[in-house]
Amino acid sequence: MIASGVVATTDVVEACTGVNIAVMVGGFPRKEGMERKDVMSKNVAIYKSQASALEKHAAANCKVLVVANPANTNALILKEFAPSIPEKNISCLTRLDHNRALGQISERLNVPVSDVKNVIIWGNHSSTQYPDVNHATVKTPAGEKPVRVLVANDEWLNGEFITTVQQRGAAIIKARKLSSALSAASSACDHIRDWVLGTPEGTWVSMGVYSDGSYNVPAGLIYSFPVTCCNGQWTIVQGLPIDELSRKKLDLTAEELSEEKALAYSCLS
């Protein structure tokens, strides 16, 4: 029988010993008057030490999900300093953005969110992310129909829809003076569940994973892609047509991630 219980600890060795799944929620938030480099150097230090602890003490098959921002780059630093953890086992959270995109479409069409699928969040978990509905569908009595056809408003889909998803975190902070912590927690559970137990047939989700050059995204970045999961492994969905507008947006968020990577590495030297 598996023993159940909670161990609350401030001891990094006790926390990391033998873990199979590590969800990294600690990071240094940007405060007023801080430059990006200040935030980055603090997070680089945090993720360097967390990575070293996981490297020494975690289970060999440990899966890591980084939630704390800048999530993609924090995950990249962690990968750098935990070389024995396979790159396929290090990911960052863009499921919150993915779920927000599904929510916006379900609200717009007045359908259950469970009937909408296959939106994509491309790139960085930041305001340059690209929420893409070009391949998304909705379950209707007459079968699955493309979101673009049902919404029938490209101006909204290419404009307000994208900015709403991109800026949602900031809008929530503005409205309640607190971040959307519970939404992030719920999305982290979704991310881990699908990664471990698999995605439903015909459905993909968004995960920040190590780029292999798919869709001409520079290799070596942690970038959000559409993925399917099976037997505890994710696979990037291949062969989706990318139109001109999407190409520009994929490249823009990749550029930001390349800049963040360079900034992070400059903090290391």
Side-chain angles (χ1 to χ4, degrees):
M1 193 177 114
I2 298 167
S4 62
V6 175
V7 177
T9 181
T10 56
D11 181 296
V12 72
V13 176
E14 187 178 20
C16 292
T17 298
V19 296
N20 300 99
I21 295 170
V23 181
M24 316 302 281
V25 293
F28 192 91
R30 187 169 181 172
K31 295 180 176 167
E32 222 172 318
M34 283 183 82
E35 293 298 320
R36 280 182 68 217
K37 177 139 188 175
D38 304 333
V39 186
M40 189 66 81
S41 64
K42 286 200 183 296
N43 280 295
V44 164
I46 291 168
Y47 276 82
K48 189 176 169 181
S49 71
Q50 305 269 20
S52 307
L54 286 169
E55 171 73 11
K56 288 193 190 91
H57 307 291
N61 66 346
C62 181
K63 287 178 162 54
V64 184
L65 167 60
V66 176
V67 177
N69 288 321
N72 300 57
T73 301
N74 284 343
L76 198 61
I77 294 297
L78 191 137
K79 182 199 157 293
E80 195 68 31
F81 289 97
S84 72
I85 298 176
E87 60 196 34
K88 291 278 279 187
N89 282 20
I90 294 174
S91 66
C92 81
L93 188 71
T94 55
R95 185 61 174 268
L96 177 52
D97 311 298
H98 182 98
N99 288 350
R100 285 168 173 163
L102 293 174
Q104 289 297 314
I105 297 300
S106 97
E107 207 172 287
R108 181 82 182 189
L109 293 174
N110 198 20
V111 296
V113 73
S114 54
D115 287 352
V116 188
K117 70 175 191 181
N118 296 355
V119 298
I120 302 167
I121 302 297
W122 297 98
N124 199 1
H125 174 64
S126 76
S127 58
T128 66
Q129 63 174 265
Y130 172 42
D132 177 4
V133 296
N134 289 329
H135 315 282
T137 59
V138 178
K139 194 161 79 185
T140 73
E144 288 187 355
K145 300 276 189 228
V147 162
R148 265 206 194 272
V149 172
L150 293 177
V151 170
N153 184 335
D154 282 352
E155 192 188 345
W156 182 77
L157 283 172
N158 295 342
E160 193 187 331
F161 162 75
I162 291 175
T163 52
T164 299
V165 177
Q166 288 173 333
Q167 312 278 346
R168 195 64 174 171
I172 288 164
I173 289 173
K174 196 174 170 199
R176 58 188 297 264
K177 309 288 178 268
L178 293 163
S179 75
S180 51
L182 204 60
S183 305
S186 170
S187 307
C189 293
D190 291 345
H191 176 114
I192 296 289
R193 182 196 63 226
D194 287 343
W195 192 2
V196 173
L197 300 179
T199 45
E201 188 70 35
T203 299
W204 62 67
V205 294
S206 303
M207 281 172 69
V209 297
Y210 198 63
S211 170
D212 60 359
S214 293
Y215 296 100
N216 292 328
V217 171
L221 296 175
I222 300 260
Y223 188 99
S224 182
F225 287 98
V227 302
T228 54
C229 302
C230 184
N231 300 324
Q233 301 287 327
W234 54 264
T235 306
I236 295 173
V237 176
Q238 296 294 343
L240 297 172
I242 304 294
D243 64 18
E244 200 182 337
L245 175 85
S246 300
R247 184 70 258 165
K248 286 190 176 127
K249 292 190 179 294
L250 262 75
D251 292 345
L252 182 77
T253 190
E255 270 168 43
E256 183 184 53
L257 280 168
S258 296
E259 283 166 19
E260 274 189 23
K261 180 180 178 177
L263 186 60
Y265 280 76
S266 75
C267 295
L268 287 169
S269 50

